[in-house]
Amino acid sequence: MLTKESLLKSAKDLFYKYGIKSVSMDDLARMLGVSKKTIYTYIDNKKDLVRSVISQFIEEEKKAVEDIQQTSENAVDEMTSIARYVLKSLQSVKPALSYDLKKYHPESWRLIEHDHFNFIQKKIKKNIERGIQEGYYRESIDSRLYSFFYIGLSRSMVHPDGIAGHDYKLSEVYENIIIYHLNGIMNTKGKKAFDKYLKKINT
C-alpha cells in the first residue's frame, strides 16, 4: 500500500539517480505500480513533490547530524562520522540534481540555500569550538569564519557551475572538502586522531 513516506522515498531515489527534470510523474507511477491519481492524493503536483522531498531530506539530515554530535567521542570523530553519513547519501546523486533544483524549482532550492546551509554552518561552528576546547583544533581558529569557509566550499560543490561540473563525482569532491577543512584547523593531536578515524569516511 502506498504511503506518503514510500512515495517520497521512491521520488528521492529517482531524483538522485536521474535528476529532477528527467523524472516524470508517469515514471514515478510506474515505479510504484500505482496510478498518477493515487499519487495526487498525497501531493498536489510535481513542484509540491520536489519541495516535500527536499524538506524531508533536510529534516533527516538534521536528526542524523544531531545524533552524531551527541554520540561522537570527540570533535574529529564527529566530523569524520558526518562525512561518512554525507558520502553515503552522495554515492548515487547526479550533479544534474542541483542544476534542476535551481533552474526549475527555485523554491526548493531556497530551502537548500537557507535551511540546509544555515543549519550546517552552525553545526560546523559548534564542532570547531568543541575541537578547540578538547585540544584537537588550533586555538587561533576563528570558528565563525572557518565555518563560513566550509559552507563556501560546500556551496561550490552543489552549485550548477561548481566543482562537480568538472568531471568529478560529488562524493569525491565532498571527501576532499572534509580532508581540506580538517587539515586547515587540526593541530598535531587532531591529526593523530584523524589518522584513527579516517577509515570512517570510506566505510
Side-chain angles (χ1 to χ4, degrees), residues 117-129:
F117 282 122
N118 281 352
F119 170 77
I120 294 300
Q121 184 268 323
K122 290 175 183 175
K123 291 300 179 182
I124 295 300
K125 181 177 181 291
K126 192 170 182 179
N127 174 265
I128 293 172
E129 291 166 353

Side-chain angles (χ1 to χ4, degrees), residues 3 18 23 36 51 67 73 83 97-98 105 126 164-165 172 193 197 201-202:
T3 63
Y18 301 108
V23 177
K36 285 196 292 185
R51 185 170 55 249
D67 287 346
E73 296 176 355
L97 180 65
S98 58
H105 300 275
K126 192 170 182 179
E172 182 182 2
Y197 296 116
I201 293 180
N202 289 308

Side-chain angles (χ1 to χ4, degrees), residues 123-141:
K123 291 300 179 182
I124 295 300
K125 181 177 181 291
K126 192 170 182 179
N127 174 265
I128 293 172
E129 291 166 353
R130 176 184 180 182
I132 292 171
Q133 185 177 18
E134 293 173 342
Y136 292 99
Y137 300 160
R138 291 183 288 114
E139 292 184 0
S140 60
I141 293 294

Side-chain angles (χ1 to χ4, degrees), residues 34-56:
V34 299
S35 67
K36 285 196 292 185
K37 183 178 179 180
T38 300
I39 291 176
Y40 288 132
T41 62
Y42 295 96
I43 50 99
D44 295 331
N45 47 48
K46 187 175 179 180
K47 182 180 290 187
D48 181 33
L49 175 64
V50 172
R51 185 170 55 249
S52 296
V53 167
I54 295 300
S55 295
Q56 184 185 65

Side-chain angles (χ1 to χ4, degrees), residues 112-121 151 154-155 158:
I112 295 289
E113 283 283 290
H114 185 268
D115 293 7
H116 166 74
F117 282 122
N118 281 352
F119 170 77
I120 294 300
Q121 184 268 323
I151 292 302
S154 297
R155 277 199 168 102
V158 299

Side-chain angles (χ1 to χ4, degrees), residues 2-201:
L2 183 67
T3 63
K4 187 166 185 178
E5 184 179 349
S6 62
L7 169 62
L8 296 183
K9 183 183 182 305
S10 297
K12 182 182 76 171
D13 291 343
L14 286 175
F15 293 158
Y16 274 23
K17 189 173 182 179
Y18 301 108
I20 296 172
K21 187 175 184 294
S22 299
V23 177
S24 68
M25 299 304 287
D26 287 317
D27 294 329
L28 184 57
R30 278 194 296 271
M31 179 182 180
L32 292 168
V34 299
S35 67
K36 285 196 292 185
K37 183 178 179 180
T38 300
I39 291 176
Y40 288 132
T41 62
Y42 295 96
I43 50 99
D44 295 331
N45 47 48
K46 187 175 179 180
K47 182 180 290 187
D48 181 33
L49 175 64
V50 172
R51 185 170 55 249
S52 296
V53 167
I54 295 300
S55 295
Q56 184 185 65
F57 158 76
I58 290 172
E59 290 307 310
E60 287 176 351
E61 179 186 61
K62 286 180 179 179
K63 184 180 184 307
V65 170
E66 286 169 354
D67 287 346
I68 288 169
Q69 200 169 44
Q70 292 171 10
T71 58
S72 54
E73 296 176 355
N74 54 58
V76 181
D77 180 31
E78 180 185 328
M79 280 306 302
T80 51
S81 295
I82 289 172
R84 180 184 181 186
Y85 170 79
V86 174
L87 281 169
K88 188 175 180 181
S89 299
L90 291 176
Q91 289 296 330
S92 58
V93 177
K94 300 294 183 185
L97 180 65
S98 58
Y99 176 85
D100 289 351
L101 268 178
K102 187 171 185 181
K103 184 171 183 179
Y104 302 107
H105 300 275
E107 288 183 11
S108 294
W109 178 257
R110 281 194 290 274
L111 288 176
I112 295 289
E113 283 283 290
H114 185 268
D115 293 7
H116 166 74
F117 282 122
N118 281 352
F119 170 77
I120 294 300
Q121 184 268 323
K122 290 175 183 175
K123 291 300 179 182
I124 295 300
K125 181 177 181 291
K126 192 170 182 179
N127 174 265
I128 293 172
E129 291 166 353
R130 176 184 180 182
I132 292 171
Q133 185 177 18
E134 293 173 342
Y136 292 99
Y137 300 160
R138 291 183 288 114
E139 292 184 0
S140 60
I141 293 294
D142 182 322
S143 61
R144 184 168 180 266
L145 180 61
Y146 274 72
S147 69
F148 283 128
F149 288 165
Y150 178 91
I151 292 302
L153 286 170
S154 297
R155 277 199 168 102
S156 73
M157 179 181 74
V158 299
H159 193 278
D161 298 320
I163 303 169
H166 296 276
D167 301 321
Y168 291 102
K169 294 180 180 177
L170 286 172
S171 56
E172 182 182 2
V173 174
Y174 181 72
E175 182 177 346
N176 282 278
I177 284 174
I178 285 289
I179 293 171
Y180 182 87
H181 169 73
L182 283 172
N183 277 316
I185 62 178
M186 292 184 300
N187 55 23
T188 302
K189 178 183 175 182
K191 289 178 180 179
K192 286 181 180 178
F194 184 53
D195 289 339
K196 172 186 174 183
Y197 296 116
L198 183 59
K199 62 180 182 292
K200 274 194 176 184
I201 293 180

